[in-house]
Each structure stands twice: as structure tokens, then as C-alpha cells.
Amino acid sequence: MSNSSPADVCRDLPSLLSSFVDTFVDYSVSGIFLPPLNPNNPQQPLQTHYPTSSNRLIAVGDLHGDLPKTKEALRLANLIDASDRWIGKETTLVQIGDVLDRGGDELKILYFLEKLKREASRSGGQVITMNGNHEIMNVDGDFRYVTPSGLSEFIGWDRWFRVGNDMRSLCKGLEKPRDIFEGIPFRFKGVKEEFFHGIRVRIAALRPNGPIASRFLSPNVTVLVVGDSVFVHGGLLANHVSYGLERINEEVRDWINGLKGRVSPPYLRGRNSLVWLRKFSDSKESNCDCSLLEHVLETIPGAKRMIMGHTIQEVGINGVCENKAIRIDVGMSKGCINGLPEVLEIFNNSELRVLTSNRLYQKREKSLLETNQKEEAGFLVMRHGPKPVEVKS
């Protein structure tokens, strides 16, 4: 009979126990059993440039805590089935940021996208997630757009996270979990007392090196180049490009992981930052700086267009500056304007079209095609723009 103590057993099986606890907590929070990582395609370091996409790329705009709309958008693109499983085969999916704020399904969407990343990798596809200004705000501790339902979701996460830590603590052979609330105050000026606990939890989860930030946000890229398309949440300026796109992604990752101080890098703050810029997003083309956009694209080898979210386009996905600026935030979340889901589809790096559930879209296309372009409506479905395609959700 073995003389091994419980501590010896725990030291022999730490990874197994930790894996069980992680699975238990993940399912309790999200209702999802995350599939194992693909052993043939282990997680890679951050990648900024992809020389070409697969035959098909789908870009999805801001999601803002609305899981049902997220799934509607992905079904429009035929990326998930009725059971929410990946069926996109070798398709590349890019989510342009702003999963957080304005809704109560923030964590559920983060878990869902993580599930799709793992499923897609087994089919030769990939899911690339990006940081928007709301991800940056939350890591910075700026909760201006957090909803009560969003706080409640994080409180629920904290409850199960604590249960998981208690389970780990039963094994003396495992390292004692760190206190994620260390240094966080109990009260907040200008905040109702009923929200104090939710704010504390959110800070703990999302501050640099917080468990949610490190796990779900640090793998995000902040700027991405796929073939001849540049993806960024707000917009790029020439000084961002000269600073270095890879350098930006690496520094943002390190900051989120707690290796670069408490405050976000300066290129993530202010109206001219990558995640806040609106110089190419106004509904009227005359208010967009097309010459500046053209100059920025010329500094990125092979780039033909910039695809961005951040600014809600009430008319749907559209483009300006001869479709060198493509705007894909349709405000689909109920926390925004409850817009109809739309996604951008790119074939072979060149053919662009909009997939939409809007039955009025073709009428809208006709009216736009008949307008004088000098009126500068700024829509993607102008004569040389991508083709809209109605899809039943």
C-alpha cells in the first residue's frame, strides 16, 4: 500500500487538478465546455502581418455585450451552425474590438470567441480578435460605459473564481492563489454603494495582469494587416506606422499582462489614438480626410484599404475615399442602436461584399446608385463598392 501523502499526490498531479478546476469554473461562468487546444496548432506569439488571407475573410464590427446579436452576425456569414459550432472551415474571422461595455454578455462573448478560436483551428480556419477603445478603457479602469448587468456578470464570475481557488487550496501541494483584490479600495467616490462590489470585481478582473485581462485580452492584436487590408478599431496615422505596428501590438500585450505599468500607452489615449480616431469615419465623405488616409496606406507595403469599427454607421457597413476606408460598426448591440447585424466578406483579398439581414438593403442600394456622388453619401454600395447580399438569419 502506498505511503504517499495527499500533498505528494497533489504535487504529482497539479496540472490535472488545475485543468479540472479551470474547466469547472469556465463552464459555471459561461455554460461552455472549451474544447482542448489543437495540439497540431499550438498558440502562437502575436502576429501582426498575414501575407494573405484564406480564400474567405469575414470582418465583424463592435459587439458590446450582446451575445444573441453576435451569434446572428456569425450565422449570417455561415460561420456557426444552429448549435453554435464552427462550420466556417478555412475562413478567417476578424472581430474588430469592443466586446466590452454597454451590455451584460461581455464574458459570455469572450468565452464564445475563445471556443470558436479553438474549433476553427482544427478546421484550418482562424479567429483573430482585436482590442477596441472599450477594452483599453476597462484595463485602464475607466468604467463609464459599464451597465448594471455587466457588473452582475462579473460578480457571478468572481463567485465561481473564488470557488475554484478554494478547491485549489484544498491541495497543499499547489501554489496558493494570489489575491486578485490586493490594493483595490472598498469604496469609490461618485459611485452608488450598491455598485461598489461590482466595481471592485471588475477592476480585479480587468486591470493589468488581472485574470480576465491576461487570459482574454492580452492575446488580442491592436492593429492587423491581412493581405492588402489593414484592420484597426479607430484608425491609423502615419506616426503610428512609423512607431511600428508589431511594436504596438507587443507593447499593448505586455501592458495588459502587467509588464508595462498601470496606465495605457499614449498611442491608445486621445482622439488621435489608434482606438479613438474618427478622421475616416464620418457619415459624409467631405468630412473624412481622404488624402491623409491615402498617405497612411502608402506607408504600409501592399495596403489598399483600412477597415475600422468604433463609429456607428446607421446606414450599415459602408465605405468612403474610393472604398479605401471601410466602416463596419453597425451598432448591432441593444446597448447601442440595436442595429441589424451585418458583416463584411472578402474573397481572395479583393472581392468585397456586405452580408446583411436587412430586407430594405437592395432598395437602399438602388437609391444610392441613382444619387449624384457629389452629395457624398459615403456608402460602400456606390458604383465600385462591395455588393450587398441579403441573408436570412
Side-chain angles (χ1 to χ4, degrees), residues 302-323:
K304 293 182 179 179
R305 68 187 68 87
M306 190 179 298
I307 300 172
M308 63 208 82
H310 184 47
T311 302
I312 294 175
Q313 308 294 315
E314 295 188 17
V315 298
I317 293 174
N318 65 83
V320 294
C321 305
E322 298 179 340
N323 287 326

Side-chain angles (χ1 to χ4, degrees), residues 2-42:
S2 173
N3 294 322
S4 298
S5 68
D8 291 332
V9 174
C10 288
R11 278 193 292 269
D12 291 339
L13 300 173
S15 60
L16 181 61
L17 177 61
S18 293
S19 177
F20 168 78
V21 173
D22 289 341
T23 300
F24 170 78
V25 173
D26 289 345
Y27 181 78
S28 299
V29 172
S30 67
I32 291 174
F33 282 116
L34 290 176
L37 294 170
N38 185 357
N40 298 319
N41 187 24

Side-chain angles (χ1 to χ4, degrees), residues 230-285:
V230 180
F231 295 85
V232 63
H233 185 72
L236 278 178
L237 298 177
N239 62 294
H240 300 140
V241 180
S242 61
Y243 187 83
L245 304 185
E246 292 89 352
R247 181 181 178 187
I248 287 171
N249 279 337
E250 291 168 1
E251 288 183 354
V252 174
R253 175 201 58 198
D254 290 346
W255 167 63
I256 293 174
N257 280 328
L259 303 176
K260 288 282 187 178
R262 179 66 186 88
V263 181
S264 59
Y267 48 74
L268 296 179
R269 289 177 273 125
R271 63 183 182 180
N272 288 326
S273 72
L274 289 87
V275 295
W276 284 97
L277 192 73
R278 299 187 195 272
K279 289 183 181 292
F280 317 126
S281 299
D282 196 275
S283 59
K284 290 187 177 181
E285 185 166 4

Side-chain angles (χ1 to χ4, degrees), residues 141 143-156 158 181 184-204:
F143 300 152
R144 282 176 287 170
Y145 299 96
V146 174
T147 64
S149 59
L151 292 179
S152 296
E153 189 187 31
F154 272 78
I155 290 173
D158 174 57
F181 289 91
I184 300 176
F186 288 86
R187 306 180 65 84
F188 303 92
K189 186 176 180 179
V191 176
K192 293 181 180 180
E193 187 172 353
E194 63 187 286
F195 299 128
F196 284 173
H197 180 54
I199 294 294
R200 291 192 80 235
V201 170
R202 199 172 181 100
I203 293 173

Side-chain angles (χ1 to χ4, degrees), residues 35-43 118 120-124:
L37 294 170
N38 185 357
N40 298 319
N41 187 24
Q43 289 183 314
R118 300 185 185 194
S121 70
R122 292 177 176 272
S123 302

Side-chain angles (χ1 to χ4, degrees), residues 236-239 241-242 280 289-301 303 306 324:
L236 278 178
L237 298 177
N239 62 294
V241 180
S242 61
F280 317 126
D289 196 334
C290 294
S291 61
L292 176 62
L293 172 65
E294 187 170 354
H295 171 65
V296 175
L297 290 174
E298 287 175 351
T299 65
I300 304 172
M306 190 179 298
K324 292 178 182 177

Side-chain angles (χ1 to χ4, degrees), residues 61-268:
D62 306 29
L63 302 176
H64 282 306
D66 193 330
L67 182 61
K69 286 293 189 67
T70 299
K71 293 180 179 181
E72 282 185 46
L74 298 179
R75 289 195 180 100
L76 280 177
N78 201 33
L79 294 182
I80 60 173
D81 63 15
S83 299
D84 300 333
R85 291 173 297 205
W86 177 267
I87 56 172
K89 299 180 180 178
E90 297 178 354
T91 301
T92 294
L93 167 65
V94 176
Q95 198 286 311
I96 204 104
D98 275 10
V99 167
L100 298 182
D101 288 338
R102 302 188 188 276
D105 298 331
E106 300 161 285
L107 289 171
K108 289 183 178 65
I109 296 175
L110 291 176
Y111 272 101
F112 186 62
L113 291 175
E114 176 62 26
K115 178 182 85 77
L116 293 184
K117 285 182 181 182
R118 300 185 185 194
E119 291 177 347
S121 70
R122 292 177 176 272
S123 302
Q126 60 184 338
V127 176
I128 304 171
T129 51
M130 302 188 69
N131 290 311
N133 61 308
H134 285 265
E135 280 71 47
I136 302 305
M137 290 170 68
N138 275 267
V139 179
D140 259 333
D142 184 344
F143 300 152
R144 282 176 287 170
Y145 299 96
V146 174
T147 64
S149 59
L151 292 179
S152 296
E153 189 187 31
F154 272 78
I155 290 173
W157 165 82
D158 174 57
R159 186 180 303 116
W160 289 112
F161 186 78
R162 289 172 183 265
V163 169
N165 281 346
D166 289 343
M167 294 170 68
R168 288 186 176 91
S169 297
L170 295 175
C171 265
K172 296 181 180 179
L174 291 178
E175 182 179 352
K176 182 180 179 180
R178 66 184 176 92
D179 179 11
I180 64 171
F181 289 91
E182 183 178 359
I184 300 176
F186 288 86
R187 306 180 65 84
F188 303 92
K189 186 176 180 179
V191 176
K192 293 181 180 180
E193 187 172 353
E194 63 187 286
F195 299 128
F196 284 173
H197 180 54
I199 294 294
R200 291 192 80 235
V201 170
R202 199 172 181 100
I203 293 173
L206 289 170
R207 64 180 174 177
N209 200 33
I212 295 297
S214 293
R215 183 178 184 187
F216 293 110
L217 304 186
S218 69
N220 290 356
V221 292
T222 305
V223 60
L224 173 71
V225 182
V226 183
D228 54 16
S229 297
V230 180
F231 295 85
V232 63
H233 185 72
L236 278 178
L237 298 177
N239 62 294
H240 300 140
V241 180
S242 61
Y243 187 83
L245 304 185
E246 292 89 352
R247 181 181 178 187
I248 287 171
N249 279 337
E250 291 168 1
E251 288 183 354
V252 174
R253 175 201 58 198
D254 290 346
W255 167 63
I256 293 174
N257 280 328
L259 303 176
K260 288 282 187 178
R262 179 66 186 88
V263 181
S264 59
Y267 48 74
L268 296 179

